[in-house]
Amino acid sequence: MMWLEEFRRLSKVFLAIVLIFALQGAHTELLVSAAGPTEVNAVAGRNVTLATPFSGAPDTSVIWLMGDVPVAIWIIDSLTPANIPENHTDVLKIEPNGSLTFVNVPLGYSSNYTVEVTVSGLGKSLATFTLRVFEIIQNVTLSSAKFAVEGADRFTLSYSMLQGVVERQTWFVNGTEINTNSHYSVEKQSLVILRPNRRDAGQYMVSLTNPFSSETAHMNVAVLYGPDDPKLEAHPAQPFYESGDSLNLSCEAEGFPKPTVKWAFGDQTLSESLGQVLNLTNIQTSQGGNYTCTLLNNESKEERHKSIILKVYERPSGSSMCYVQSVNNVTLQYYCRWAGGTPEAQLSFLALSNMSSGAGNFSLTVTATDDLDGKTVTCQAFHPLEQDKCNITARPSISDFSGLPNQEGTVVRLSWEVPPTSVVTGFDIQMKGPDLVTDNSNDTQTRGSSDKFRTIQHRPGSVRSADIFNLDPKSTYRFRVIPKALMIVGEPSEIHRIGPGEGLSGPAIAGIAAGIPCSLLFLLLLGGFIYLCVYCHKNRSRQTRYPVSRAVEKAITIQPDTIPPHNLLTGGLKSLPDYNRLQQTPSERSVALPSFVPPAPVRVATTV
């Protein structure tokens, strides 16, 4: 039997209880000691004995205690069976020598056992054993939540097994043994990760051992984290883009599982299938603005957002334009304009003020001073894609001067324009020519000599026309306009003449006199050339002959009553008139011109 084999094994190591009688005078002492290990390991379901061989002393009682509870009492060599509680009778048995045997020891009998040996007259002695009952470890598995979440309080890995008693559990991560510290806590049947982070992801293993078996189990642990702060970039990276450029936006962030990306432009959600890269081709100014990418962890439902502002610019059209005008004859208002563009161009007159500027259309009002007359002022126009400038000089001047008289020639309307660069506070209307007939206009019209210009009207700077009345239709007048800016007089306008011509000048007469003979000579040569051409043409016509076939006879049939040819001029026909006499003047003609009588008709036939 197995318990006997176990007993023999224990006997070989000489586990015995020895009674030593030592006589020291009148004193006697009882000693009990174990022959062999006091810690015994056993496999559940097998027999095991805690050996205390004892014999030779009468009236020796043995009491076994499981912890503090007696489980077997017996007097050695007594015929009375050992006193064992009913719930232990199937497992415990006292051997004749006082040893305690466990039959098919269950797991629940792991405990500390104490044997008390009492000999009458010698007293009591004790010996202590530790029994550990193990089961073979089988089918170990690990379990946990699906993911560890970064930043959570704890994450627990637990093991379970079909059967077994674990004497020692050892945990490993990626092959490295885990020791209990501030981050890991090894508890009963589990490993706790405190405040897990992404570095805790990996392969975990538990090793379970006891004196009779060992088993391991593995598990991969994934840590949910992210998305981290997104990285949103434009490629190519530029502070701004010009209308028509192409670019792409990329948005990415660390996270597990890999975050999904959504794009939005302003309040408008773009397609969700765009992925991490948003391509923008031939971008327009309407596409400039705020772009936002949203990254979502589909497991943890954590979201992160990142935005970028795209600046899309467009060049202004044309060039910048400047002009200046007077305001109330006291101040000057400088204007600068550069239309279009995104954003609008920034405009400034630095020579007038370095503190004022405007966008697209800018005006600056300053006091009119003498130093501004003829001073060139520059408008600086700045746009991110282009720079421009225009210059303006404040001086009195006019343009497009014209005059339109009425049908009678008694009234003329003078009109003019003021260039954008001109500053005008008034106009002097000047005239050269005879005095006006009367003065019935509300405007001032003065008289003077006709050999020089004189001012006949003063007009304000806002006026662009003037009417001159009481002109003599038979006289010639010349008009001009003098622009003025306060006390500054500008250049006169071009002169406009009204009225009939004044006759030809001396050079014109000389030119005409020289031109008449030349014209006559040219006409004579032209007439001779024409006559020569006509004469040559006639001669060529008379020499023309047509070939006649020999087989053809030409017959001319004349009416029988026709006058013979030699009598043509003596019959009813008169002689041809003398055409030379027709060229004579009436005084040279002595008789009336003869009348022309056509000859009688002659029929001519040609037979071929």
Side-chain angles (χ1 to χ4, degrees):
M1 295 178 64
M2 294 183 65
W3 68 271
L4 292 177
E5 294 176 358
E6 185 69 18
F7 178 78
R8 293 190 186 95
R9 185 182 67 82
L10 295 175
S11 298
K12 289 180 180 180
V13 294
F14 196 62
L15 291 176
I17 298 177
V18 180
L19 296 178
I20 301 173
F21 295 92
L23 296 176
Q24 297 179 354
H27 180 71
T28 300
E29 182 177 5
L30 175 65
L31 295 177
V32 180
S33 61
T38 59
E39 293 186 359
V40 179
N41 297 325
V43 178
R46 299 180 183 179
N47 297 337
V48 63
T49 299
L50 302 180
T52 57
F54 181 80
S55 63
D59 300 328
T60 300
S61 65
V62 177
I63 301 175
W64 285 93
L65 292 89
M66 183 179 179
D68 297 331
V69 178
V71 292
I73 302 173
W74 188 54
I75 297 175
I76 296 178
D77 295 334
S78 172
L79 297 177
T80 302
N83 185 10
I84 298 174
E86 184 177 358
N87 57 338
H88 294 293
T89 56
D90 294 337
V91 178
L92 299 180
K93 177 182 178 182
I94 294 182
E95 300 296 333
N97 60 1
S99 299
L100 182 62
T101 297
F102 298 81
V103 179
N104 297 325
V105 59
L107 291 175
Y109 280 79
S110 294
S111 181
N112 292 323
Y113 291 86
T114 303
V115 59
E116 294 182 1
V117 178
T118 304
V119 178
S120 179
L122 295 179
K124 181 171 61 175
S125 182
L126 304 174
T128 302
F129 297 84
T130 299
L131 175 63
R132 297 188 301 172
V133 181
F134 297 94
E135 194 175 38
I136 301 299
I137 302 172
Q138 295 180 0
N139 297 339
V140 180
T141 58
L142 288 175
S143 62
S144 68
K146 184 178 180 181
F147 297 105
V149 179
E150 186 175 57
D153 290 337
R154 56 195 291 147
F155 177 74
T156 302
L157 277 168
S158 301
Y159 69 82
S160 61
M161 53 190 174
L162 180 62
Q163 67 171 35
V165 175
V166 177
E167 180 182 33
R168 184 171 184 266
Q169 62 172 328
T170 306
W171 291 88
F172 300 86
V173 56
N174 297 326
T176 302
E177 184 177 352
I178 296 174
N179 297 313
T180 298
N181 52 37
S182 60
H183 190 59
Y184 296 105
S185 175
V186 178
E187 300 179 358
K188 184 179 180 180
Q189 286 192 285
S190 63
L191 170 69
V192 177
I193 304 174
L194 304 174
R195 304 292 297 178
N197 57 62
R198 65 193 66 183
R199 292 185 299 273
D200 292 322
Q203 186 183 67
Y204 284 77
M205 183 186 76
V206 62
S207 175
L208 305 178
T209 61
N210 63 32
F212 304 99
S213 62
S214 64
E215 285 288 334
T216 60
H218 304 80
M219 184 178 186
N220 290 322
V221 173
V223 180
L224 293 182
Y225 66 93
D228 293 343
D229 188 33
K231 183 179 181 182
L232 178 56
E233 294 179 335
H235 305 279
Q238 297 176 189
F240 56 83
Y241 300 88
E242 186 174 358
S243 178
D245 287 349
S246 296
L247 66 143
N248 64 72
L249 300 177
S250 64
C251 183
E252 58 184 9
E254 293 293 329
F256 181 83
K258 189 175 182 179
T260 58
V261 182
K262 296 180 182 178
W263 292 93
F265 173 55
D267 297 331
Q268 177 186 0
T269 300
L270 304 180
S271 174
E272 296 185 4
S273 61
L274 297 175
Q276 291 183 329
V277 178
L278 176 62
N279 291 307
L280 300 173
T281 304
N282 191 26
I283 192 169
Q284 302 301 311
T285 55
S286 59
Q287 294 175 274
N290 188 54
Y291 286 80
T292 302
C293 73
T294 300
L295 293 105
L296 170 66
N297 188 317
N298 290 317
E299 291 292 340
S300 65
K301 305 306 178 184
E302 292 290 329
E303 283 187 350
R304 285 294 187 96
H305 307 274
K306 193 77 170 185
S307 297
I308 187 173
I309 297 177
L310 290 186
K311 299 178 180 179
V312 182
Y313 295 158
E314 188 174 40
R315 297 175 184 272
S317 59
S319 301
S320 58
M321 297 183 296
C322 303
Y323 66 96
V324 62
Q325 67 181 18
S326 174
V327 179
N328 299 325
N329 298 331
V330 176
T331 60
L332 296 178
Q333 194 166 23
Y334 287 83
Y335 289 90
C336 185
R337 185 172 184 268
W338 198 7
T342 304
E344 292 184 314
Q346 290 295 317
L347 311 173
S348 62
F349 294 101
L350 296 179
L352 302 178
S353 174
N354 57 4
M355 300 296 293
S356 299
S357 63
N361 196 348
F362 174 61
S363 66
L364 181 64
T365 302
V366 297
T367 303
T369 58
D370 293 340
D371 61 332
L372 291 178
D373 178 46
K375 179 179 180 180
T376 299
V377 176
T378 300
C379 172
Q380 299 289 345
F382 174 81
H383 187 271
L385 296 175
E386 186 179 356
Q387 289 76 47
D388 196 14
K389 64 181 179 180
C390 56
N391 298 324
I392 184 171
T393 303
R395 60 165 58 94
S397 63
I398 63 174
S399 62
D400 299 332
F401 178 56
S402 63
L404 180 64
N406 63 353
Q407 292 183 353
E408 293 77 12
T410 59
V411 179
V412 63
R413 167 160 289 188
L414 304 176
S415 59
W416 60 90
E417 295 296 335
V418 177
T421 59
S422 179
V423 178
V424 178
T425 61
F427 303 95
D428 286 349
I429 312 300
Q430 294 188 342
M431 181 188 75
K432 183 168 71 171
D435 293 339
L436 301 176
V437 176
T438 59
D439 187 4
N440 58 358
S441 173
N442 293 330
D443 300 316
T444 302
Q445 298 185 354
T446 61
R447 300 175 178 271
S449 60
S450 61
D451 57 347
K452 63 179 181 179
F453 280 100
R454 58 196 182 275
T455 300
I456 60 174
Q457 286 188 22
H458 299 287
R459 307 297 290 171
S462 59
V463 171
R464 297 294 182 268
S465 65
D467 293 331
I468 310 299
F469 299 92
N470 306 319
L471 298 177
D472 184 359
K474 300 179 180 179
S475 300
T476 300
Y477 300 89
R478 287 176 172 81
F479 298 94
R480 68 180 184 182
V481 178
I482 306 295
K484 300 178 69 176
L486 298 180
M487 301 303 295
I488 301 172
V489 178
E491 293 292 329
S493 69
E494 61 182 4
I495 297 173
H496 191 77
R497 186 179 66 84
I498 299 295
E502 297 179 338
L504 298 176
S505 62
I509 295 174
I512 293 174
I516 291 175
C518 295
S519 300
L520 293 176
L521 179 60
F522 173 76
L523 293 175
L524 182 60
L525 293 174
L526 179 61
F529 176 75
I530 293 173
Y531 175 79
L532 180 61
C533 292
V534 172
Y535 178 78
C536 294
H537 178 72
K538 287 182 177 181
N539 288 339
R540 187 177 297 110
S541 300
R542 291 174 182 174
Q543 296 174 0
T544 303
R545 295 290 184 270
Y546 297 96
V548 178
S549 175
R550 293 180 180 179
V552 179
E553 292 183 357
K554 182 176 181 183
I556 302 175
T557 303
I558 304 175
Q559 296 178 358
D561 55 351
T562 304
I563 300 174
H566 59 275
N567 295 323
L568 288 176
L569 297 179
T570 60
L573 296 178
K574 296 182 179 181
S575 301
L576 293 174
D578 186 358
Y579 289 98
N580 291 327
R581 296 183 61 187
L582 298 177
Q583 304 298 324
Q584 296 177 354
T585 62
S587 59
E588 294 175 333
R589 299 172 185 169
S590 57
V591 294
L593 292 175
S595 60
F596 175 76
V597 178
V602 179
R603 180 175 298 173
V604 179
T606 302
T607 303
V608 179

